[in-house]
Amino acid sequence: MHTEGVAPYANPKYKDSFHVNSFFIGKNVRHTLAAGNGSYTPIFLSELPILFKRNLLPLDFAFIQVSPPDKHGYCSLGVSVEATLAAIDNAKQVIAQINPNMPRTHGDGIIHISELNTFIEHESDIPEVALGEPDEIEGKIADHIAPLIENGSTLQMGIGNIPNAVLSRLGNHKNLGLHTEMFSDGVIDLILKDVINGNEKGINSGRSLATFLMGTKRLYDYVDDNPFIEMRESDYVNDVSVIRQNPKMVAINSAIEIDLTGQVCADSIGSKMYSGVGGQMDFIRGASLSKGGKAIIALPSQTHSGISRIVPYLKRGAGIVTTRAHVHYVVTEYGVANLFGKTIKERVKALVNIAHPNHQEQIERAYFEAGI
């Protein structure tokens, strides 16, 4: 799983005792792949619970964190449900930290204390991820995305300055819904303003749906015992057949680089693994199949060091998370390219037009000279 906070077990000096296998590589364990004490298993977030349910990845122990039990003996998994229930159901032993700082969330993540083989009571802070203010480029990207979102749309977006910037521009929208693998603090004000109310969702209407949460204490306090927030397993939240039931489903995802035919690399820098497949493909496909839906890849046109992120061809060893056939909208600070139904030549032209002007001529020439 993606984890936050310190990870002392990932220290290479403990490699004889611990080997870290990540399904989504966080910065706290990224060094393990180069150091040799870590591995990466690429998998859709929608399919992750299957590894445990089918015993494809046998579990001796599941270490989990829960809220204190209520008067009936039920604890909550709080901010992290995704594949945890499948782990609990299939592990030989379940060991829990009962943490009074873990919020009680509604949905799938309610377990009885009798399901715990062992537990300890220990108070610790839930790791927080605070966002900075979007910069000018991120603001311009958000300015292009916001008009694509119609009233009555249901949103999927991750954490980061671009999603946060988009949310800040939706204050005058009406009847938006939320069906997303995760969300952060940026949605709270829109919920309080009744912009996000879920009234026009096709499934789980009147509720906001997620499988894990990541943000600040404000978010964790807001979701505590809040029935508007429904936490479900990732094989439900990220199921394409479920997602597509929301009309006007809008999925906003990011990329490390994208080639001129529309192939999206989102989990590696060349052959160096950086993050993971996650739920991008689940939601890109679900939004594409939704009535009136839009699948969006958003990224700055170049890196901070001035390297174009729209490229004639992906770096050697780069992984394709989203195929060229799945990509619809690509957005940079220079505009929107809609690739759906476009030929390869039309795609090249559209993506060159939203590349950074410093690179447009170079990447177009390199593409055609390569004879791809």
Side-chain angles (χ1 to χ4, degrees):
M1 305 304 301
H2 172 84
T3 58
E4 288 289 322
V6 296
Y9 53 84
N11 191 318
K13 71 180 181 180
Y14 300 129
K15 65 180 181 180
D16 292 335
S17 299
F18 295 100
H19 186 84
V20 181
N21 179 26
S22 300
F23 303 113
F24 194 96
I25 307 162
K27 63 182 179 180
N28 56 353
V29 299
R30 195 169 291 139
H31 62 278
T32 63
L33 279 79
N37 63 318
S39 302
Y40 164 58
T41 299
I43 189 167
F44 296 129
L45 186 56
S46 59
E47 295 185 328
L48 184 50
I50 294 174
L51 296 183
F52 305 142
K53 291 179 178 180
R54 296 182 183 174
N55 210 32
L56 298 172
L57 187 66
L59 296 176
D60 293 316
F61 295 91
F63 292 90
I64 66 172
Q65 188 172 191
V66 298
S67 71
D70 62 16
K71 63 182 180 180
H72 304 292
Y74 286 93
C75 304
S76 170
L77 293 174
V79 301
S80 185
V81 175
E82 12 65 16
T84 308
L85 280 179
I88 293 169
D89 291 341
N90 293 278
K92 296 175 183 176
Q93 296 281 318
V94 179
I95 300 175
Q97 174 189 341
I98 295 178
N99 185 356
N101 290 327
M102 179 64 78
R104 293 185 63 83
T105 54
H106 293 242
D108 288 342
I110 303 295
I111 62 172
H112 197 267
I113 196 167
S114 62
E115 296 180 63
L116 309 176
N117 298 104
T118 306
F119 64 84
I120 62 165
E121 297 178 85
H122 178 71
E123 181 173 355
S124 59
D125 293 333
I126 306 300
E128 296 186 49
V129 178
L131 296 178
E133 287 296 318
D135 62 23
E136 182 182 1
I137 291 174
E138 292 160 342
K140 288 180 178 179
I141 294 172
D143 288 338
H144 292 306
I145 293 175
L148 297 175
I149 300 173
E150 304 172 63
N151 290 334
S153 296
T154 296
L155 307 178
Q156 175 264 329
M157 53 181 60
I159 193 170
N161 283 351
I162 292 176
N164 201 40
V166 173
L167 291 168
S168 72
R169 286 153 171 79
L170 301 180
N172 293 322
H173 279 61
K174 300 182 186 301
N175 297 323
L176 299 181
L178 202 61
H179 181 133
T180 182
E181 58 196 13
M182 69 142 294
F183 62 79
S184 189
D185 297 54
V187 303
I188 298 175
D189 290 335
L190 292 179
I191 295 173
L192 295 175
K193 293 176 182 176
D194 198 41
V195 173
I196 293 178
N197 53 35
N199 290 345
E200 297 188 19
K201 290 176 66 180
I203 193 165
N204 302 97
S205 61
R207 298 286 187 274
S208 286
L209 199 66
T211 193
F212 69 99
L213 306 170
M214 192 186 305
T216 68
K217 189 174 185 299
R218 184 193 182 206
L219 176 71
Y220 305 145
D221 289 342
Y222 180 75
V223 302
D224 184 43
D225 200 26
N226 186 341
F228 183 71
I229 310 299
E230 187 172 346
M231 303 291 291
R232 300 288 295 269
E233 289 187 272
S234 63
D235 53 2
Y236 176 82
V237 174
N238 284 54
D239 187 331
V240 171
S241 67
V242 174
I243 297 167
R244 69 180 297 181
Q245 293 181 53
N246 293 305
K248 301 179 184 177
M249 184 74 210
V250 177
I252 304 171
N253 288 273
S254 61
I256 291 175
E257 63 178 7
I258 179 169
D259 76 11
L260 288 175
T261 72
Q263 296 185 111
V264 175
C265 174
D267 65 348
S268 69
I269 301 173
S271 59
K272 181 181 178 181
M273 301 311 307
Y274 184 80
S275 56
V277 173
Q280 178 173 126
M281 194 62 252
D282 298 327
F283 276 95
I284 288 288
R285 192 61 180 149
S288 299
L289 295 172
S290 158
K291 184 177 181 180
K294 296 182 176 77
I296 299 170
I297 297 293
L299 72 166
S301 64
Q302 61 180 3
T303 67
H304 292 300
S305 57
I307 299 172
S308 181
R309 295 175 68 171
I310 296 177
V311 295
Y313 41 84
L314 299 177
K315 292 182 178 64
R316 181 177 180 181
I320 298 171
V321 169
T322 299
T323 75
R324 57 170 71 98
H326 288 102
V327 172
H328 285 199
Y329 292 90
V330 179
V331 181
T332 73
E333 70 271 29
Y334 290 101
V336 179
N338 184 1
L339 306 185
F340 187 59
K342 299 292 195 299
T343 67
I344 294 296
K345 286 187 177 180
E346 290 170 335
R347 287 163 176 255
V348 171
K349 181 178 180 180
L351 287 170
V352 166
N353 285 340
I354 64 168
H356 194 285
N358 291 350
H359 305 290
Q360 289 181 354
E361 183 179 349
Q362 176 188 353
I363 60 176
E364 185 173 24
R365 184 190 303 117
Y367 175 82
F368 286 109
E369 286 180 351
I372 299 174

